[in-house]
Amino acid sequence: MRTRFAPSPTGYMHLGNLRTALFKYLLARKMGGTLVLRIEDTDQGRLVDDALDKIYETLDIAGITFDEGPHMGGDYGPYVQSQRKSGYMDHAKELIRRGSAYYCFCDKERLEGLDGYDRRCADLAHDIVEKNLTAGVPYVVRQLIPPGTTTFRDEVYGEITVDNAELEDQVLIKSDGMPTYNFANVIDDHLMAISHVMRGSEYLSSTPKYNLLYQALGWDIPTYVHLPLILNQTGGKLSKRRGDASFEDLLAQGFLPEAIVNYIALLGWSPPDNREIYTLAELCEIFSIEGISKSPSAFDINKLRWVNGEYLKAMDFDRFYALAADHVTKAVKRPGCDPMTLAKLVQSRISALDEISEALDFIDTLPEYDTELFVHKKSKSDADVAADVLAKIAPVLAAHPEDLWTGENLYKLMTEFAAEAGLKSSQVLWPMRCALSGKPATPGGASDLLVVLGKKESVRRAEYALEKLGM
Ligand code: GLU
C-alpha cells in the first residue's frame, strides 16, 4: 500500500489540507504502507515564497512523518514536480500518438470568447500541426475526451457514473511546458506506484478525466478515497480569507498541536468506539476507511476547546507550567503573587491558554461588581448573609497571623467559623470568594484566593464588600 500527500506551495496550509495529510498518514501507518510527500509546484505563477517551509513546519509540529519525499529520498523521485518536467511532456506525446490528446494552438483572445473549449484543434491536419510546431507557435496539449460514459468506484462515495459529454478537453501541458495539476497527478501517481489516492471531495468531479488518462496509457486505476468537506460554523467552506482559523492561528491562540490533531481526526471520520480523546499512536491503530463519512463536517471551535482542555488537564504540571508561565506573568503583575501557584489554579479551569488572562483578571484589579453577586441559591447565600458573614469574618482574618496564612489554615478557619455560627460552609465561602474576586466564577476557591491575594489585599477587599453592602 502506497499513498501520498501532495501539497501545492501556493499558500499557508489550511485545516482541510492538514486533515487530508493526517488521514493519509493514519491510513499508511494502519496498513503498514508507505507515505510519500510530493510537492506539486507546477503552477509557477501561484507559488508563494515561504509556503513550502510553512508546510514542512506544520507537518512537523503535527507529528506527521513521511517515508519518501524531497528531503528523504526514495526510489521514485525526484519528489518535486518542477524537477520532473520533461517526463510529463513525454507522456503527453505518447497520449497524442495514441489519439487521446492533441496540440491546441488557440490563443487567449479566442479562448476568452468561448464557454468551454470547442475542440477546434482536435482535428487539425498533421502537416498543419508540424508546421505550427516548427514555426514555434505557442501551444498547449489537451486531453481528447472520448464519447461514452465513465464509471468508477470511490471507497467513500461509492459508484459514480458520468456522461463523458460533461467532461471538457482539459489542458494537460500548459504553454510554459509545465503540466497542469490534472495531468501531473495522474502521471506521478502511476510512476510513484501510488495504490491509494486520498484527497478532498472537490476532486471527485475531475476523477473521471483522470481515469480516462489512466486507461489511455494502459495503466491501473488507483483506489480512490475522497474526503468530505469541512465547513465552518456558518455552513460555508473553511476559508482563512473569510476569517476561519488556520493551524498556525490556532497554535498562536494557545491550542496544543496534539489536541488540534486529535480534533481534526474526528472531522469526517468516526472512531469504532465512541471516545473523543486519542493519541496519534492510538489513531494509527484504529483508523479505517470504513469510518470516513460522506457528509461534510463542521469545524466547531468550542469542541476543539473542549478537547484541548482535556489535554491541558491531563498534562503533567511541569509541562503545563512551561506553556502557561508567560501567559500567567503577563496576566498578573501583583507583587508577591507566585506564578506557579497561579498556574496550578488555572490548569484544570481553562480549555486553552488564551483563557488564562481572563481567568486571572481579577487579581491585579478588583473588577466593579454588583451586590447581586452575593445571591447564590445553591450556597444559600444572599446579600444579608454576605453582610453578616463578612462583617464577622473580616476582623478574624485581620487578626490571623501572616506566617500562618496558608490555604489549609484559612480553609479550616472559614469552615470552623461557619460551623460555630450554625451556617453551611458555602454561606461563608461564596461571599468570601465574591468579595475577593468580584466574579461568580474563579479558578480556585475562597482559600486559594486568600493565599494568592495575601492578607492585606484580602482584608481590604472584604472591607470594600462590606461598604458596598451598606455595612
Ligand atoms: N496539489 C493538490 C492540492 O494541494 C493535491 C490534490 C491531490 O491530492 O491529488 O490540493
Side-chain angles (χ1 to χ4, degrees), residues 152-215:
F152 72 100
R153 193 185 140 66
D154 180 84
E155 294 301 308
V156 175
Y157 290 84
E159 195 175 278
I160 295 178
T161 299
V162 294
D163 185 344
N164 293 359
E166 287 166 22
L167 308 174
E168 207 189 333
D169 284 0
Q170 63 178 348
V171 173
L172 304 179
I173 302 284
K174 295 178 280 188
S175 54
D176 63 359
M178 277 289 188
T180 55
Y181 158 76
N182 288 327
F183 189 45
N185 92 87
V186 169
I187 303 304
D188 284 346
D189 283 343
H190 172 76
L191 295 179
M192 295 180 179
I194 300 302
S195 60
H196 288 67
V197 169
M198 193 189 255
R199 62 183 155 220
S201 60
E202 65 270 28
Y203 289 100
L204 209 47
S205 61
S206 305
T207 301
K209 292 191 270 196
Y210 308 150
N211 289 340
L212 290 168
L213 290 172
Y214 283 108
Q215 280 162 2

Side-chain angles (χ1 to χ4, degrees), residues 333-338 451-452:
K333 307 271 188 235
R334 176 177 289 284
C337 272
D338 171 35
V451 171
V452 162

